[in-house]
Amino acid sequence: MADDTKITRRSGITEMRKRIAVLRTRLERLLLWRVWERMLEIEFIDRSVALAGKAFVSFFPLVVVVAAFMPERIRSSILTAVTARLGIRGDALTLARDAFASSDDIRQATGVLGLVLTIFFATSFTTALQRMYLRAWRRPPRAGAGAYWRGVVWLLVALACTALLGGLRGALGDGLGFGLFAIVSLAVIAGQWWFTAWFLLLGEVRTRVLVPTGVITSIVTAGYAASATVWMPRVVTSNEAQFGFFGVALSLVTWFSGAAICVLIGACAGPVLAEDTGRVGRLIRGGEAGTLTAGARPPLPPPARELGLRDAFHSTQDS
């Protein structure tokens, strides 16, 4: 009797394993699953933390410092766009503004030399961003001074887009104007991230196949920014009440961590969709077989083993 029970139990376990294997095989055929695997491949938890940290300590200070040196109208546009993306409003916006020095104080403390140094220091963020795209597309890294000038160019483009969106937000107002702004904003941000991927991938990936990266990143980050208007003001006011200025900084780090995940999703979804052997991939590639430009270096090989969730937490060696 006991032997029959053991045999039945073993048979049940074997059947369950077979069903799990069949389910896993079906999941692996889905594009969403392959995006998840690509995220595991680039160690997305560690990479998002590194990206968020560098955005907070280098890119965000650059925006604040550059805005201080701009004319009042451009400065107002940049700050409007930044606060709208952060989802800060009301009392939380007042607290965040009070946590930073005035534009006059920033200009006096920084100077022109400090501004230049801030720009070059901010290239550490673009370096981390470039490494993310290279890993997502399995592109070999390329050393050299080109990374610095590319970083500076990207920063200038990002600041220009921020000022443009801020100016449009103030000009179009609410009501129907806000709806028009939302559409234009999605298009501008999609173009910005499309350019980001092409530029930081050194022009070795065809421009057409990078369109999904820009579109997905734009949609995901827009959704994240919209959600931030709900929870970010509460986080800022709560943290400021507990920790003062440091609480405002913690709130910003929280926002950047989520934004980094959004950018990672777009970066990983792009190559997965472009390399798909089905109808989606053929549409994105425009009938051509490859995703790389002529003369581009060959891609790196995929992982030699099956990836698991623990791979998302591995230390990022190149960061």
Side-chain angles (χ1 to χ4, degrees):
M1 194 73 176
D3 292 340
D4 292 341
T5 302
K6 290 181 179 179
I7 292 174
T8 302
R9 187 177 300 171
R10 289 175 181 174
S11 299
I13 293 174
T14 301
E15 183 66 23
M16 181 63 69
R17 288 177 176 173
K18 289 181 179 179
R19 291 181 179 181
I20 292 174
V22 171
L23 178 61
R24 183 181 178 87
T25 301
R26 291 178 179 177
L27 287 174
E28 289 176 348
R29 296 174 184 172
L30 299 176
L31 289 172
L32 188 61
W33 180 269
R34 279 180 266 168
V35 173
W36 169 252
E37 287 185 328
R38 191 64 63 100
M39 292 178 67
L40 293 177
E41 181 181 335
I42 71 170
E43 304 148 0
F44 75 93
I45 295 295
D46 275 329
R47 198 162 291 274
S48 64
V49 170
L51 194 62
K54 291 185 178 182
F56 176 71
V57 301
S58 62
F59 179 66
F60 184 69
L62 172 70
V63 175
V64 175
V65 171
V66 169
F69 280 84
M70 293 290 109
E72 176 62 29
R73 186 173 181 179
I74 298 178
R75 178 166 63 250
S76 177
S77 297
I78 293 176
L79 295 179
T80 297
V82 171
T83 53
R85 278 278 153 180
L86 291 173
I88 302 177
R89 56 185 178 179
D91 294 338
L93 179 58
T94 302
L95 291 172
R97 284 179 172 172
D98 292 342
F100 296 96
S102 66
S103 298
D104 293 335
D105 293 337
I106 292 174
R107 284 195 299 269
Q108 292 176 4
T110 305
V112 177
L113 178 60
L115 174 62
V116 174
L117 293 177
T118 302
I119 293 175
F120 278 97
F121 180 66
T123 58
S124 64
F125 169 72
T126 58
T127 300
L129 193 63
Q130 183 178 43
R131 286 170 176 165
M132 178 197 69
Y133 278 108
L134 291 173
R135 285 288 302 275
W137 283 86
R138 294 173 181 163
R139 304 298 304 143
R142 175 178 289 177
Y148 292 98
W149 74 261
R150 284 181 179 272
V152 172
V153 171
W154 185 88
L155 291 171
L156 294 176
V157 171
L159 289 171
C161 289
T162 302
L164 172 63
L165 291 176
L168 286 174
R169 180 68 185 91
L172 295 177
D174 298 323
L176 293 176
F178 178 76
L180 178 60
F181 169 76
I183 297 173
V184 174
S185 176
L186 282 174
V188 171
I189 295 174
Q192 178 186 347
W193 286 109
W194 166 83
F195 168 79
T196 298
W198 172 81
F199 192 62
L200 297 184
L201 287 169
L202 309 176
E204 293 185 334
V205 179
R206 292 170 52 210
T207 55
R208 179 190 177 103
V209 302
L210 291 171
V211 171
T213 296
V215 173
I216 293 172
T217 306
S218 177
I219 293 174
V220 175
T221 54
Y224 178 70
S227 72
T229 61
V230 177
W231 56 266
M232 190 64 175
R234 177 172 49 84
V235 170
V236 172
T237 53
S238 175
N239 286 352
E240 197 276 338
Q242 287 184 295
F243 307 107
F245 167 74
F246 184 65
V248 178
L250 286 177
S251 303
L252 293 175
V253 170
T254 301
W255 187 91
F256 279 116
S257 298
I261 292 290
C262 295
V263 176
L264 278 162
I265 291 173
C268 292
V272 169
L273 295 175
E275 295 167 2
D276 178 51
T277 57
R279 183 181 302 174
V280 174
R282 290 194 297 270
L283 176 64
I284 292 173
R285 294 190 301 272
E288 297 187 23
T291 60
L292 303 180
T293 57
R297 295 167 297 167
L300 297 175
R305 62 177 179 83
E306 185 176 321
L307 300 176
L309 184 59
R310 63 181 181 180
D311 292 287
F313 298 89
H314 281 184
S315 297
T316 304
Q317 297 178 357
D318 57 1
S319 292

